[in-house]
Amino acid sequence: MELAAVIEEIDGYIRKEFLEGDASVELTPSSPLLEWGILNSMNTTRLAAFVSERYDVTVSPKAMRTDNFRTIENVAHMVLELRDRPEA
Amino acid sequence: MNLASLVRDSARRAGGDLAVAGPDRSVTYDELDRAADTLAHLLRDKGVRGTDRVVIWLDKSVVAVAAMQGALRLSAVYVPVDGSGPSRRTARIARGCSATVIVTDSRRAAELRESGEELPGLLVLDGLPGTDGRPPLPVEQPGPDDLAYILYTSGSTGEPKGVCISQRNALAFVEWAAAEIGATSRDRFANHAPFGFDLSVLDLYVAFRAGASVHLVPSEMAYAPQQLCAFLRTERITVWYSVPSVLILMIRDGDLCEGARPPWLRVLLFAGEPFAVDYLALLHRYLEGVRLLNLYGPTETNVCTFHEVTAEDVAGGEPVPIGRACSGDEVWALTPGGRRAAVGEEGELVVDGPTVMAGYWGRGAQEGPYRTGDVVRVRADGVFEYRGRLDHMVKVRGHRVELGEIEACLSRHPAVGEVAVLVDGSGMAARIVAVVVPAGPPPGLLALKRHCAERLPRYMIPDSVLTVAELPRTRNGKTDRQALRDTLLQPSGSRT
């Protein structure tokens, strides 16, 4: 699966679960999810559970760091990295 | 004895023992002792003297712990601020308590400078600084009534309130907890709570007093059940303390009550909200031999009552009581008529004793007993049962939230005319719902989230927005929250 496809799915998940399904919201792959209040620690955990289920990756304690959840792009990069190098 | 000497004394006894294991690095007591001395120097270079306030705005880390210790060594007062919170709130808190300096990292320092807010001096640290060869500063001995730290909690008027805790306040609790747990240098404490939340006081200072180690849970992992269960096992935790919501999550979505029992765990403490008894029963059965302690107390009194969970407690299906007075405090229930509640009666819980705060910053000293706003019932055996709140303070996953503070923030958004905030659901499923009467075109959820995210901690940002034409009123003109709940929210319990 390519980066663009992962980004699109994560974008869809975030809109549906955290923004009441609002498709018109101006959200881009580089929008700051934490600074905009979209991800709190609870939502971060839900997003981590979603990606680990959807892409069959293990989000280790080490991977649960702020940088990996700053933007949709960052989350997608983390997913691809975890899939290629599960110990990352 | 004071909060700084606990580390110094443990370093003298067993300097090579592990003191803090953080996401950034681990340090022994010797290393923490030296780091605290270095931080004391750096803070002093920034002009910090005894009784000055030092705001600490960092990720949970060894650096943050060293900064707290550095401030204490100067007899200064540290003010830990939520690392994930917005820069404007940090700046506002620093201004509110006239802080001399904010200790932060370079990314957050840039955010602070961009915020346009008035700032004190900044001490920027991107890691533990090395020693610069200067000899340790002479030890300042704070008096028991000198402040040790200030914890900011949600305020109903829209401004966070600074709860001022003296050395005496903190030590009364730490001494009690250390004795009750029977803490030793072999213990390994988990630290789940953020440093700005009073649960962390037990983790840090009971560990330091015993010469034990404390293992910091990074904030991003705070609600990640599988990762938390893995942490409990790999870090060989012996003492765990968190809000019940987190433990329920670890039972439900992690494997806390399945598979291999965490073999080192011996005491599990919880506080901050009632524990759903079904899950507590599961925990009690699965973790046989592990002591389960329910601790109670608002930030203003630290822990003033506790109860050890028994088999009878969880068999009854009733929430476990908050127990009896501890930490040297005296605790009673005051009826609406102003007398002490008798057995079977309800009243507001009142606390007097060594853990009662010195006062709110800038609002004068606390005079006499502290009224908690919590309603309790007195059981025949003298134990207190928690019944509810007298006001609009709620708990969201154990975080104390004044709905009025969220309302005050939202009402400053230009698209918001009137607003009422409700909490839908409880425990992990709790959601903050903003009910808005728009001033023009209805504001979107993201716009309101962004507005709040610049001003409030992350746990206070609304999860959803409902737009209404007007808010229902009670006869005396206040927002009728009950009517709003009845018309807008699904019956409680229907959400999962």
Side-chain angles (χ1 to χ4, degrees):
Chain A
M1 193 172 239
E2 280 179 43
L3 183 67
V6 177
I7 286 176
E8 196 184 324
E9 285 188 348
I10 293 170
D11 176 279
Y13 177 83
I14 287 174
R15 283 176 198 275
K16 177 167 168 287
E17 295 296 323
F18 308 143
L19 295 168
E20 304 188 317
D22 191 343
S24 68
V25 164
E26 279 180 44
L27 192 66
T28 70
S30 57
S31 297
L33 301 174
L34 303 165
E35 280 158 47
W36 285 7
I38 295 170
L39 289 187
N40 54 26
S41 25
M42 191 61 211
N43 290 350
T44 306
T45 303
R46 288 174 61 196
L47 181 59
F50 166 75
V51 299
S52 69
E53 173 112 329
R54 175 72 186 85
Y55 305 108
D56 195 24
V57 294
T58 305
V59 184
S60 63
K62 237 175 83 191
M64 289 294 295
R65 54 176 197 270
T66 309
D67 267 344
N68 281 341
F69 292 90
R70 220 175 275 290
T71 65
I72 292 176
E73 239 163 18
N74 290 19
V75 181
H77 278 298
M78 173 188 74
V79 167
L80 296 183
E81 224 167 275
L82 288 173
R83 212 181 40 186
D84 297 344
R85 294 187 299 126
E87 74 285 359
Chain B
M1 188 167 40
N2 60 65
L3 294 187
S5 69
L6 297 180
V7 168
R8 186 158 281 169
D9 292 348
S10 285
R12 284 193 185 133
R13 277 197 309 268
D17 284 2
L18 178 64
V20 187
D24 50 341
R25 58 175 297 166
S26 296
V27 283
T28 63
Y29 273 96
D30 271 340
E31 289 166 335
L32 179 59
D33 186 44
R34 282 198 297 271
D37 279 332
T38 304
L39 260 301
H41 267 300
L42 297 176
L43 289 169
R44 204 165 188 284
D45 294 343
K46 291 282 177 184
V48 175
R49 300 293 183 269
T51 75
D52 285 355
R53 273 75 53 213
V54 174
V55 169
I56 299 173
W57 191 40
L58 287 166
D59 283 322
K60 236 206 250 182
S61 57
V62 169
V63 186
V65 175
M68 285 148 70
Q69 285 295 315
L72 290 170
R73 285 188 183 193
L74 297 172
S75 274
V77 184
Y78 71 83
V79 186
V81 179
D82 183 8
S84 67
S87 54
R88 288 173 71 167
R89 186 176 171 97
T90 302
R92 233 167 62 207
I93 285 172
R95 200 167 57 238
C97 67
S98 314
T100 306
V101 65
I102 299 176
V103 184
T104 190
D105 55 26
S106 47
R107 181 178 65 77
R108 290 184 174 89
E111 279 181 39
L112 282 169
R113 292 189 184 106
E114 283 161 21
S115 71
E117 301 271 340
E118 190 188 316
L119 295 174
L122 301 182
L123 174 57
V124 180
L125 300 172
D126 289 314
L128 209 54
T131 55
D132 56 8
R134 286 187 279 183
L137 289 163
V139 182
E140 299 258 359
Q141 294 294 351
D145 292 320
D146 286 336
L147 298 188
Y149 54 86
I150 304 175
L151 302 182
Y152 274 81
T153 72
S154 183
S156 56
T157 57
E159 282 300 312
K161 288 186 295 193
V163 176
C164 298
I165 300 295
S166 69
Q167 294 279 350
R168 183 208 314 274
N169 294 155
L171 286 170
F173 164 65
V174 169
E175 287 293 295
W176 167 79
E180 182 59 45
I181 297 171
T184 76
S185 62
R186 289 184 305 278
D187 273 314
R188 299 166 68 89
F189 285 73
N191 163 246
H192 181 275
F195 293 154
F197 196 17
D198 65 353
L199 271 70
S200 67
V201 171
L202 183 146
D203 309 333
L204 293 173
Y205 295 108
V206 176
F208 293 159
R209 186 184 180 284
S213 57
V214 56
H215 302 251
L216 313 181
V217 175
S219 59
E220 298 78 29
M221 227 172 86
Y223 296 101
Q226 287 159 13
Q227 287 87 345
L228 290 175
C229 290
F231 181 91
L232 189 66
R233 293 192 173 91
T234 57
E235 300 290 311
R236 307 202 303 274
I237 298 302
T238 63
V239 182
W240 175 277
Y241 186 24
S242 72
V243 295
S245 294
V246 168
L247 289 164
I248 291 173
L249 201 64
M250 289 164 74
I251 296 169
R252 209 186 54 195
D253 301 331
D255 60 355
L256 184 58
C257 289
E258 291 165 25
R261 258 186 47 174
W264 292 275
L265 188 64
R266 61 179 198 85
V267 189
L268 197 151
L269 308 103
F270 54 91
E273 60 187 348
F275 202 139
V277 72
D278 299 358
Y279 285 107
L280 189 55
L282 213 60
L283 209 54
H284 188 265
R285 206 164 49 236
Y286 192 78
L287 297 180
E288 200 193 341
V290 174
R291 296 181 68 199
L292 302 180
L293 302 179
N294 182 19
L295 271 47
Y296 162 86
T299 306
E300 287 85 344
T301 70
N302 211 320
V303 171
C304 58
T305 77
F306 89 111
H307 180 81
E308 180 154 7
V309 179
T310 65
E312 297 84 73
D313 288 330
V314 293
E318 295 289 316
V320 293
I322 59 171
R324 298 171 198 279
C326 64
S327 311
D329 287 334
E330 194 197 348
V331 168
W332 64 95
L334 204 61
T335 65
R339 57 175 178 79
R340 284 194 185 208
V343 168
E345 285 189 318
E346 287 190 353
E348 181 182 4
L349 197 73
V350 181
V351 188
D352 198 9
T355 70
V356 175
M357 65 168 176
Y360 294 113
W361 180 263
R363 301 189 199 186
Q366 169 73 20
E367 300 287 350
Y370 176 76
R371 299 178 65 146
T372 61
D374 284 329
V375 179
V376 297
R377 196 179 77 98
V378 188
R379 233 165 60 169
D381 56 2
V383 156
F384 295 103
E385 292 171 339
Y386 178 79
R387 309 291 282 182
R389 283 294 298 173
L390 283 174
D391 57 16
H392 298 306
M393 194 191 87
V394 295
K395 289 294 180 88
V396 177
R397 291 181 277 280
H399 288 292
R400 171 170 159 178
V401 173
E402 290 283 2
L403 298 175
E405 185 171 359
I406 306 177
E407 289 167 355
C409 174
L410 283 168
S411 65
R412 285 198 289 268
H413 189 282
V416 172
E418 285 181 285
V419 59
V421 173
L422 306 172
V423 172
D424 187 18
S426 62
M428 284 327 273
R431 291 167 54 79
I432 297 174
V433 180
V435 184
V436 170
V437 180
L445 174 59
L446 184 57
L448 294 184
K449 273 182 183 283
R450 287 181 64 176
H451 173 82
C452 290
E454 285 177 13
R455 296 161 176 86
L456 298 174
R458 268 154 69 185
Y459 59 85
M460 285 171 67
I461 297 170
D463 294 295
S464 63
V465 179
L466 297 170
T467 306
V468 296
E470 59 175 354
L471 295 175
R473 300 282 172 196
T474 61
R475 237 173 298 169
N476 57 19
K478 287 185 178 168
T479 305
D480 189 343
R481 287 170 192 274
Q482 194 53 49
L484 266 181
R485 299 193 69 85
D486 294 346
T487 51
L488 294 176
L489 303 181
Q490 297 166 31
S492 61
S494 68
R495 283 177 190 231
T496 51

